[in-house]
Amino acid sequence: MNDSTTGAPPAGAELEALAEIEDRVLWLSSAIVHHANRVRPNPSGLKVGGHQASSASMVSIMTLLWFRHLRPEDRVSVKPHASPVLHAINHLLGELDASYLTRLREFGGLQSYPSRTKDPDPVDYSTGSVGIGATATIWGALARRYTASAGGDPGTGRQYSLLGDAELDEGAIWEAVLDPAVADLGEIVWVVDMNRQSLDRVVPGIAAEKLRGMFAAAGWQVLTVKYGRLLEEIFARPGGDELRLRLDEMTNPEYQRLLRCDGPDLRRRLPGTGPAAPRIAELIADVDDDTLVEAVAHLGGHDLHALDAAFTAIDDTRPTVVLAYTVKGHRLATKGHPQNHSALLTTQEMRDLAARVGADPDDPWRALPATGEAHRLCEKRGELLRRPAVEQSVPPELPTDFGRTPKGAGTTQAALGRVLLDLTRQAPGAARRIVTVSPDVSSTTNLGGWVNKVGVWSPQERRDWFADDAETILHWREKPTGQHIELGIAETNLVGLLSELGATWSRWGEPLLPIGVLYDPFIERALEPWSYGIYAGGQSLLVGTPSGVSLAAEGGAHQSLKTPSIGLQQPGCVTYEPAFAIDTEWALLACLSRLGRADGSSSYLRLSTRPVDQSLAAVPVDPAARERRRRHVVAGAYPLRRRTGAQVTIVAMGAVVTEALAAADRLEHEQVAADVVCVTSPDLLYRALRARQGHDEQADSWILDQVFPADRATPLVTVLDGHPHTLSFLATVNKVATSALGVTGFGQSGSLADVYRHHGIDADSIVAAALDVTD
């Protein structure tokens, strides 16, 4: 992995150059934050922010990685609060113009945290939500391997995560580490910045041994870089073993307090009060004050030799974690202070730092001397690490309509499986690009037929011991050509992988069509990392099924009610909740066509296990009329029933369309004519409304004119198996009276009729609401 030809540790001119670059990275990362907060005009007076101390603890690690070990095929996820370090390094490598160094957290400038889609310089992974960026490399590694097995050429390379030790508190970290698929991913390398501070405090316990044991138990190689050379040299003297033990057993807060001490205070505190105190005091008596102060703070994470030895020792046959001990705020005036997380250096402290690292505070962005070794190393590494532009492949052609009209009773969940199988026959090229992901719910979400057809993806073929069992219905054939990836029961892992599979089009020019299927009640559990994946450029299709209180017997714990509005509000995503199998087919094909392209988007489908009579869809027989219906379905809604002289319009979404139609029939008996509109996407209808109001230039309002024409404006009753506010905005299309029905409370177990009645979304409730708004 060394860039050097010998693999020997850095020495001589190279070591001097690395040290000079390390100084410059420390200066630039600090100056970027300083300028944003203390130099750039700030008319609002609001804090700009930045993290000088969190950046300083990563400077040595990132300097050695980028300027000695990193290869162009490697990818790195940088901890959020070290973004100024990343920008400083990219600047030195020639990937970021100096004009951006003054624009941290400025509109159109450098983002607060590394962003693949918004920063002007190379960023491999968007980070910012603690834990998500760290685990992204795991899913990136799986996505790269899958892409290669599917015939793409994503290359090889390590997947580095640089994360803070406080991030290891996040449950998402351990959900990912413990997934069975991870133990074989030898390209994963995590480097943990063990500064033993979180945002508010010094972490009280000594967690290193526990962390080592947890990673090792998961099959990871664990490398520890604890002390720097200055301390190691002192440890080698008489009394050094006692000093090492004293530091090893010292609590984190006591050690952090030592970092705030001068020489005399250190001599008083460091020996402690134990039986070894006299030998420790005798040992440090021969060390001058400046050396003692420097040595105590010079941990392994700040020692280029120690870090180099760790990176060289990485075993590429299994995941590796490097626990690199650091000091938060290393070499800054704020080093080790328990409240230094967002602390800013004063102007004088910046001048003092400039004097120590050879920078000019009056010309902070001055380049390294063009004739020096440091400049030459930056040029050499910049050339080596520069990647060619990704050549975008054209996403596969997808049909818009299979031409079949479903009969009998069916569910939208079952339609999902049928559409996937139909694709393998009618569009095999597109079907080969599909990859499905599930957290151990493939069989219960109607993916069984698809899994039997395409197989389960595995880097190596594995024997199916139940292949000859006649009673086995779901065949679990694991092979490199499989197109279904099964993870453990962790929705966060599912959407993490889904996001990275959805980014292969922009990483390697290889568009995939990833579909994640999970229980709709657990969408909220997966929402944050999925949303973050969309922000980072991942395009995927998330299917939540079964959904709503229509899952009557399961009770309130498994009845989702907020998910329809979540889909409506999620940026970068189109949401659908079809009522019929044909609607599911058309919507799903439209969603797939949006994936893997620069102007694409993610999608969310909310499906149901409630059987619905498919003849109620009244699919037109005439080809032109059928195509018109399909366009309406894909655009968000269609008129399911029109009545001359309609006095009320019932707008229904999803499984409750049957209650809407039944209510319309009963109203007709009461001489109240009712139109029925089937909404497939409240999201697209809301965008159309905003377009009509002049708020959304990317959307078109034609669907409103087609489905809710002004000359047919009547009072509305909206109904869905979810929160009623999801559709309540439709009353503003023509400014009519409305009654919004839906689910606003936790459900309970019962029959479908009982549960619908309890929540007021049954036919009786719709009739009553219609009579009220027309009275």
Side-chain angles (χ1 to χ4, degrees):
M1 285 298 300
N2 262 309
D3 183 43
S4 63
T5 56
T6 64
E14 183 189 10
L15 182 60
E16 291 179 7
L18 284 170
E20 186 176 350
I21 293 171
E22 181 184 25
D23 284 348
R24 186 53 57 98
V25 170
L26 176 63
W27 168 256
L28 288 174
S29 59
S30 301
I32 287 170
V33 178
H34 179 76
H35 185 93
N37 286 274
R38 300 197 187 276
V39 180
R40 192 171 70 214
N42 182 7
S44 72
L46 294 175
K47 177 184 175 182
V48 176
H51 300 87
Q52 290 172 324
S54 293
S55 292
S57 65
M58 289 296 300
V59 164
S60 303
I61 294 168
M62 294 177 67
T63 297
L64 188 77
L65 181 57
W66 262 266
F67 292 94
R68 183 165 167 83
H69 286 270
L70 204 63
R71 303 169 302 177
E73 61 267 31
D74 298 333
R75 296 291 186 270
V76 188
S77 172
V78 177
K79 81 171 188 176
H81 295 154
S83 65
V85 183
L86 177 62
H87 297 311
I89 287 174
N90 279 335
H91 170 64
L92 293 175
L93 293 173
E95 297 286 356
L96 182 67
D97 188 79
S99 62
Y100 278 102
L101 301 181
T102 62
R103 302 185 62 195
L104 177 69
R105 302 189 174 201
E106 182 183 74
F107 188 82
L110 301 177
Q111 298 301 298
S112 304
Y113 310 117
S115 173
R116 284 191 72 226
T117 57
K118 296 183 181 296
D119 271 317
D121 52 333
V123 174
D124 291 332
Y125 288 98
S126 295
T127 59
S129 189
V130 174
I132 293 176
T135 58
T137 55
I138 289 177
W139 316 125
L142 276 174
R144 184 196 63 76
R145 289 195 180 199
Y146 181 87
T147 302
S149 66
D153 185 20
T156 57
R158 286 179 178 169
Q159 297 275 350
Y160 290 93
S161 278
L162 311 180
L163 61 155
D165 53 350
E167 282 195 78
L168 297 177
D169 290 344
E170 281 288 344
I173 293 283
W174 300 106
E175 287 184 355
V177 167
L178 293 175
D179 193 276
V182 176
D184 294 329
L185 300 177
E187 62 265 47
I188 294 172
V189 179
W190 285 11
V191 184
V192 181
D193 172 12
M194 293 282 291
N195 61 47
R196 293 173 280 185
Q197 284 186 242
S198 60
L199 192 151
D200 289 330
R201 61 176 183 164
V202 176
V203 178
I206 302 176
E209 286 302 321
K210 179 175 67 175
L211 293 175
R212 275 192 282 269
M214 292 169 72
F215 277 108
W220 290 49
Q221 177 190 24
V222 183
L223 302 173
T224 302
V225 187
K226 189 166 187 178
Y227 297 118
R229 283 172 300 153
L230 286 176
L231 268 176
E232 291 290 355
E233 290 171 0
I234 295 173
F235 291 156
R237 304 175 190 177
D241 290 341
E242 287 83 354
L243 177 59
R244 183 191 296 272
L245 184 62
R246 163 86 169 119
L247 289 173
D248 283 344
E249 295 181 345
M250 188 179 291
T251 66
N252 293 336
E254 183 181 4
Y255 171 75
Q256 294 287 122
R257 183 62 185 89
L258 295 181
L259 299 174
R260 309 294 300 167
C261 295
D262 58 16
D265 201 17
L266 260 181
R267 296 182 192 284
R268 180 176 61 84
R269 293 173 179 266
L270 186 56
T273 58
R279 282 183 58 79
I280 297 173
E282 183 180 353
L283 166 65
I284 63 177
D286 294 331
V287 182
D288 65 82
D289 285 353
D290 290 343
T291 301
L292 185 60
V293 170
E294 183 181 359
V296 168
H298 191 68
L299 298 178
H302 305 301
D303 189 300
L304 296 178
H305 280 94
L307 289 168
D308 185 75
F311 285 134
T312 303
I314 291 171
D315 173 8
D316 285 319
T317 66
R318 54 180 172 152
T320 296
V321 60
V322 180
L323 303 178
Y325 282 73
T326 62
V327 172
K328 193 167 183 175
H330 182 61
R331 300 176 70 192
L332 303 183
T334 56
K335 72 174 183 181
H337 194 283
Q339 280 84 52
N340 67 6
H341 183 79
S342 298
L344 298 171
L345 298 182
T346 66
T347 299
Q348 184 56 52
E349 287 169 340
M350 284 294 294
R351 289 189 169 275
D352 293 342
L353 175 63
R356 293 197 300 274
V357 299
D360 183 353
D362 298 317
D363 186 12
W365 323 120
R366 185 183 65 192
L368 289 165
T371 57
E373 286 297 323
H375 178 79
R376 282 192 282 271
L377 181 56
C378 288
E379 284 193 328
K380 175 185 175 184
R381 294 295 296 175
E383 183 66 27
L384 173 71
L385 296 177
R386 195 158 294 123
R387 301 170 188 152
V390 174
E391 185 175 339
Q392 298 296 328
S393 297
V394 178
E397 288 290 330
L398 283 152
T400 57
D401 185 354
F402 292 140
R404 184 182 61 247
T405 302
K407 309 292 184 183
T411 73
T412 54
Q413 176 179 287
L416 166 69
R418 282 198 297 271
V419 170
L420 294 179
L421 289 174
D422 283 341
L423 272 172
T424 64
R425 293 184 286 268
Q426 298 203 29
R432 189 66 191 95
R433 291 279 178 173
I434 289 176
V435 52
T436 55
V437 186
S438 172
D440 200 37
V441 292
S442 302
S443 57
T444 54
T445 54
N446 277 94
L447 286 183
W450 165 258
V451 172
N452 286 344
K453 174 79 173 178
V454 302
V456 177
W457 179 80
S458 173
Q460 300 87 30
E461 188 155 356
R462 296 173 179 168
R463 182 174 179 179
D464 179 7
W465 290 97
F466 290 87
D468 59 349
D469 187 336
E471 295 183 4
T472 298
I473 298 175
L474 183 63
H475 301 292
W476 210 253
R477 295 190 298 271
E478 298 180 83
K479 52 188 179 179
T481 58
Q483 291 179 246
H484 175 76
I485 301 177
E486 189 85 0
L487 299 176
I489 306 175
E491 286 77 13
T492 298
N493 289 351
L494 174 130
V495 295
L497 176 56
L498 201 62
S499 298
E500 290 306 318
L501 290 167
T504 59
W505 68 273
S506 59
R507 288 197 190 281
W508 304 298
E510 295 287 347
L512 297 175
L513 306 177
I515 303 174
V517 183
L518 73 164
Y519 290 162
D520 195 68
F522 306 137
I523 286 285
E524 292 174 78
R525 185 184 297 175
L527 183 61
E528 191 221 356
W530 187 57
S531 177
Y532 211 84
I534 294 174
Y535 166 79
Q539 297 174 5
S540 60
L541 174 54
L542 191 64
V543 178
T545 181
S547 63
V549 298
S550 295
L551 196 62
E554 292 287 337
H558 277 184
Q559 295 172 355
S560 54
L561 62 99
K562 290 185 289 183
T563 47
S565 54
I566 285 174
L568 187 154
Q569 297 169 43
Q570 175 61 46
C573 170
V574 177
T575 186
Y576 288 96
E577 183 169 349
F580 300 103
I582 191 66
D583 299 352
T584 306
E585 174 191 312
W586 290 337
L588 181 61
L589 292 173
C591 292
L592 291 173
S593 72
R594 295 186 179 101
L595 300 177
R597 55 198 334 128
D599 61 346
S601 74
S602 293
S603 299
Y604 161 48
L605 261 66
R606 188 175 188 251
L607 304 182
S608 174
T609 50
R610 182 189 180 185
V612 172
D613 180 359
Q614 298 301 301
S615 67
L616 296 176
V619 180
V621 175
D622 179 78
R626 179 186 176 101
E627 172 58 16
R628 185 174 186 269
R629 167 70 71 85
R630 188 199 66 81
R631 289 181 65 244
H632 281 172
V633 166
V634 171
Y638 59 92
L640 186 56
R641 179 183 294 182
R642 293 292 200 202
R643 289 291 183 262
T644 302
Q647 299 161 264
V648 66
T649 300
I650 301 172
V651 181
M653 184 170 76
V656 295
V657 72
T658 54
E659 277 63 38
L661 290 169
D665 290 339
R666 288 170 52 185
L667 287 168
E668 199 159 336
H669 286 296
E670 298 296 323
Q671 308 302 309
V672 178
D675 284 349
V676 178
V677 170
C678 183
V679 169
T680 54
S681 175
D683 173 22
L684 293 178
L685 294 183
Y686 187 66
R687 296 187 203 187
L689 179 60
R690 286 180 55 79
R692 175 183 285 184
Q693 296 168 342
H695 299 312
D696 190 342
E697 296 179 357
Q698 305 300 315
D700 198 327
S701 63
W702 68 266
I703 187 64
L704 299 180
D705 300 325
Q706 293 280 316
V707 180
F708 300 103
D711 60 359
R712 295 191 66 87
T714 65
L716 295 183
V717 175
T718 62
V719 58
L720 74 154
D721 184 359
H723 200 282
H725 87 82
T726 308
L727 298 179
S728 61
F729 71 90
L730 290 172
T732 66
V733 173
N734 290 312
K735 298 180 173 60
V736 296
T738 185
S739 180
L741 306 182
V743 182
T744 58
F746 291 112
Q748 60 185 30
S749 298
S751 68
L752 192 65
D754 288 339
V755 171
Y756 275 13
R757 188 180 307 111
H758 172 72
H759 290 286
I761 57 175
D762 60 333
D764 284 349
S765 299
I766 298 172
V767 168
L771 294 175
D772 284 343
V773 295
T774 56
D775 188 3

